[in-house]
Amino acid sequence: MKTLSCACLPDKASSEIIRRISEEISSQCSSGNALSFQPHFSVRGDFKIQDQNISKLQKEIQKFCNTISPLKLSLSKYGFYPWRLIFLDIEKNLSLQKLHDGCMKIIAKYKDPWIPDQYENNNNFKEKQKEYVNEHGYHFCFEFFSPHFTVAGNDMGEEVFQKTKIALLKKEEEIKIEVKELVFFDRNNNNQVFLKMKLGKEGL
């Protein structure tokens, strides 16, 4: 049994820009959580899978990724979640939504019916979102998909979070990124890349 998460990695130049922003903001907030991963955005969060199902998942996900061209995305505004998390918001487009929806449906075939503790007893979700949590063990599903690059984690005090939020509310970046890879992080092995798939015909 492994615990995996599914994410996309940006091109190298964009990754370096996002990393610098994350280092700067995390330093200001005395936060370190966001720096434990390489820059990425989640396609779907943690799920558990039996070892014998991993190769089946890999084969089907790669076949699906072959149908998705590399993504061109834009980042401009900062966003904030109430659990003291700061991120760069990604402007969604149809291709990105298609990638998410397809991965969600394929992963659902092979994952275990495990629901992370922070979602199982959470009363903050809307009714449809609760259904997705019960079915998929994840809250950012389908129409609730919220792609973003975390730049400072939830390991800061409320006062620091609010102060940083005010400073960033009107700040904008102009970052264009290209995404050519989908990856699965091994959550039990220091978030190492466990599986990697190319988007588009490169994956054939």
Side-chain angles (χ1 to χ4, degrees), residues 171-182:
K171 183 177 174 60
E172 292 193 4
E173 308 289 349
E174 291 186 15
I175 305 173
K176 302 292 185 183
I177 71 171
E178 186 172 21
V179 173
K180 296 182 178 181
E181 295 177 331
L182 181 80

Side-chain angles (χ1 to χ4, degrees), residues 1-4 47-51 54 186 188-189 194:
M1 177 85 76
K2 279 191 174 294
T3 302
L4 303 177
F47 64 94
K48 292 184 182 292
I49 183 169
Q50 298 284 345
D51 291 347
I54 291 174
D186 186 342
N188 304 121
N189 187 25
F194 179 68

Side-chain angles (χ1 to χ4, degrees), residues 145-177:
F145 178 43
S146 179
H148 60 271
F149 287 96
T150 299
V151 294
N154 57 355
D155 55 341
M156 66 186 82
E158 183 65 23
E159 183 177 346
V160 172
F161 173 66
Q162 292 299 336
K163 183 179 179 180
T164 307
K165 180 178 177 180
I166 291 171
L168 293 174
L169 271 173
K170 295 183 179 181
K171 183 177 174 60
E172 292 193 4
E173 308 289 349
E174 291 186 15
I175 305 173
K176 302 292 185 183
I177 71 171

Side-chain angles (χ1 to χ4, degrees), residues 22-33:
S22 183
E23 288 173 349
E24 181 181 344
I25 295 176
S26 291
S27 176
Q28 293 170 359
C29 299
S30 298
S31 170
N33 279 1

